[in-house]
């Protein structure tokens, strides 16, 4: 059912990423057992009180867990694929950042169809060209599938695609609606994008820095306020 919903563009992009992802060759400090078992600043939240790194409260078991996830990923386990995608995307927990591997894991997880979050992340890497060739048609298919299943990342991704193609105020309002729905589900990137959109951002990464500068300028500029008339005077 998911394949019929997505169409051929998304299926082709997933196969291409899997063939070119280089997954399975990323042995690093974790495998050598000398990685620091501390979450990097800005690492994504992990479900169920950080199950990835905690094995019965023993953080030094992280390498064993990573090997287990790699084995599960070889069996196309969607949760393992998604977790490995996050580790490689963010470059955390002793795993080196590798966007190509991350994109491959996300797209394989999305193909499994078990987790709406995988659909959203598959759409994000395709929409932004992160580790895979940029393909907005395929991205839109994955993002819509994730949005229909209530995924906040997918909603934010759709907001970005709408913002990039918007030519009218009404179309920008549609993008803002996606950002707002996503942020209400707790995805703070969407709240950030909503703020930039209100300052005229076009949704492209190349113009984000200037939009952020505008955001900072807006915060630094005191709001113009009309002084209240003195008590007993006629404001007219």
């Amino acid at each position: 059912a998911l394949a019929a919903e997505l169409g051929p563009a998304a299926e082709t992009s997933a196969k291409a990423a899997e063939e070119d992802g280089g997954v399975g060759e990323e042995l690093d400090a974790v495998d050598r057992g000398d990685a620091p078992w501390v979450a990097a600043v800005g690492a994504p939240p992990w479900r169920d009180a950080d199950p990835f790194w905690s094995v019965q409260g023993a953080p030094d078991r992280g390498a064993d867990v990573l090997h287990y996830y790699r084995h599960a990923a070889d069996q196309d386990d969607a949760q393992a694929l998604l977790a490995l995608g996050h580790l490689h995307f963010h470059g955390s927990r002793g795993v080196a950042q590798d966007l190509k591997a991350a994109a491959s894991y996300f797209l394989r997880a999305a193909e499994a169809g078990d987790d709406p979050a995988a659909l959203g992340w598959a759409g994000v890497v395709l929409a932004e060209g992160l580790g895979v060739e940029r393909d907005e048609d395929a991205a839109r298919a994955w993002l819509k599938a994730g949005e229909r299943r209530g995924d906040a990342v997918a909603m934010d991704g759709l907001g970005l695609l709408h913002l990039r193609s918007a030519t009218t105020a009404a179309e920008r309002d549609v993008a803002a609606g996606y950002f707002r729905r996503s942020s209400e589900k707790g995805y703070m990137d969407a709240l950030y994008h909503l703020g930039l959109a209100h300052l005229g951002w076009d949704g492209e990464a190349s113009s984000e820095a200037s939009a952020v500068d505008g955001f900072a300028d807006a915060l630094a500029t005191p709001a113009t306020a009309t002084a209240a008339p003195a008590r007993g005077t006629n404001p007219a």
Side-chain angles (χ1 to χ4, degrees):
L2 182 60
E5 181 180 341
L6 293 169
E11 183 179 357
T12 300
S13 65
K15 288 182 178 178
E18 183 173 355
E19 292 170 358
D20 194 40
V23 174
E25 301 176 0
E26 69 282 2
L27 301 182
D28 48 33
V30 172
D31 297 287
R32 298 195 303 271
D34 58 0
W37 306 117
V38 179
V41 175
W46 299 89
R47 302 178 206 178
D48 303 326
D50 202 354
F52 188 96
W53 241 212
S54 176
V55 181
Q56 296 182 346
D60 59 342
R61 296 288 303 281
D64 293 338
V65 178
L66 183 59
H67 281 300
Y68 168 79
Y69 269 176
R70 285 174 174 160
H71 175 73
D74 288 340
Q75 312 305 314
D76 291 327
D77 180 273
Q79 291 296 314
L81 290 163
L82 183 60
L84 289 170
H86 277 297
L87 285 170
H88 287 84
F89 186 86
H90 296 278
S92 60
R93 315 299 178 88
V95 176
Q97 186 179 49
D98 184 338
L99 295 182
K100 183 181 284 188
S104 179
Y105 280 126
F106 285 144
L107 287 162
R108 287 174 59 198
E111 279 195 311
D114 296 330
D115 193 332
L119 303 175
W121 278 101
V124 166
V125 295
L126 285 166
E128 304 299 328
L130 298 171
V132 68
E133 186 176 351
R134 186 169 178 173
D135 186 339
E136 291 195 354
D137 290 336
R140 189 172 289 103
W142 288 116
L143 293 172
K144 285 183 176 178
E147 185 265 342
R148 282 191 285 268
R149 290 160 177 79
D151 179 62
V153 172
M155 294 173 189
D156 180 62
L158 284 173
L160 289 172
L161 290 183
H162 277 277
L163 190 60
R164 289 170 186 168
S165 62
T167 58
T168 66
E171 291 171 343
R172 292 183 64 85
D173 285 345
V174 171
Y178 280 115
F179 295 145
R180 191 172 293 108
R181 288 174 58 203
S182 177
S183 66
E184 288 171 353
K185 285 179 169 287
Y187 191 54
M188 291 299 96
D189 282 13
L191 193 61
Y192 167 73
H193 292 153
L194 179 61
L196 293 185
H198 281 306
L199 290 172
W201 183 45
D202 62 2
E204 293 289 352
S206 59
S207 59
E208 183 176 350
S210 60
V212 170
D213 289 341
F215 199 5
D217 291 343
L219 290 174
T221 302
T224 302
T226 302
R231 191 174 295 178
T233 63
N234 184 347

